[in-house]
């Protein structure tokens, strides 16, 4: 789960998911106060999905994993299976842009993206399985990173580099 800079929305992701659910913290608090549950899991109350969801990002890509945020109300989610970064609007939950990564992106980073004031200039893709781009390094090595500008409406690749593990 990742929390947007306002603390209002919680983005859930999973490598096998076909959508990205966005939960509303205010609705979560109201559901807890009203005991709006649909059972429990090992003694922990499970809130009703419909009571706590803001909405879902439909067809974002394959394997949504991690989400970071810019300073303009946008979210950027790494797609592990389809090897891409997807930019989407936190207000409308619509996909705005997508860029390919090489290969199988895991984490991503927007400097300041985990704070109340993200910088919103760059996103870094941390890619896992890139061995065929940098032979003869062996399995899982080297990994790579890609630096994208997110200043404009569309993401733009600025730098593509190998990260050699020593």
């Amino acid at each position: 789960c990742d929390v947007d800079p306002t603390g209002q929305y919680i983005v859930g992701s999973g490598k096998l998911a076909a959508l990205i659910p966005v939960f509303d913290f205010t609705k979560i608090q109201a559901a807890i106060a009203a005991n709006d549950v649909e059972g429990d899991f090992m003694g922990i109350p499970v809130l009703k999905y419909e009571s706590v969801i803001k909405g879902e990002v439909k067809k974002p890509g394959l394997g949504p994993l991690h989400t970071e945020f810019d300073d303009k109300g946008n979210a950027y989610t790494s797609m592990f299976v389809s090897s891409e970064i997807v930019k989407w609007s936190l207000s409308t939950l619509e996909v705005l842009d997508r860029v390919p990564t090489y290969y199988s992106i895991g984490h991503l980073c927007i400097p300041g993206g985990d704070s109340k004031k993200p910088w919103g200039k760059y996103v870094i893709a941390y890619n896992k399985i890139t061995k065929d781009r940098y032979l003869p390094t062996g399995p899982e090595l080297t990994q790579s990173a890609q630096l994208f500008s997110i200043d404009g409406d569309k993401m733009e690749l600025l730098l593509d580099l190998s990260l050699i593990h020593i």
Side-chain angles (χ1 to χ4, degrees), residues 3-147:
V3 179
D4 85 299
T6 69
Q8 184 64 37
Y9 301 111
I10 302 163
V11 178
S13 295
K15 284 183 190 175
L16 301 178
L19 51 80
I20 301 171
V22 181
F23 300 94
D24 185 313
F25 187 69
T26 302
K27 288 182 177 183
I28 291 170
Q29 295 299 320
I32 291 169
N35 197 29
D36 192 8
V37 299
E38 58 184 354
D40 70 82
F41 179 76
M42 297 176 64
I44 300 170
V46 177
L47 300 173
K48 290 183 182 173
Y49 185 79
E50 299 78 23
S51 299
V52 297
I53 192 81
K54 169 191 172 32
E56 300 169 335
V57 180
K58 307 283 188 193
K59 299 183 180 180
L62 300 175
L65 202 50
H66 299 285
T67 301
E68 291 272 327
F69 305 91
D70 67 15
D71 58 341
K72 301 168 198 75
N74 299 310
Y76 300 77
T77 302
S78 59
M79 299 292 170
F80 180 76
V81 177
S82 56
S83 294
E84 61 186 329
I85 297 174
V86 174
K87 174 184 177 181
W88 51 276
S89 168
L90 197 52
S91 62
T92 67
L93 305 181
E94 294 180 57
V95 172
L96 304 173
D97 191 23
R98 60 183 69 238
V99 292
T101 62
Y102 303 101
Y103 301 95
S104 298
I105 183 174
H107 291 275
L108 73 165
C109 171
I110 292 176
D114 287 330
S115 72
K116 291 177 106 176
K117 295 185 180 186
W119 302 345
K121 293 181 64 83
Y122 306 103
V123 62
I124 304 165
Y126 299 114
N127 307 320
K128 295 177 183 255
I129 306 168
T130 59
K131 95 172 189 142
D132 62 331
R133 294 181 73 208
Y134 307 104
L135 288 176
T137 58
E140 294 296 320
L141 292 176
T142 66
Q143 297 183 356
S144 73
Q146 293 174 292
L147 176 67

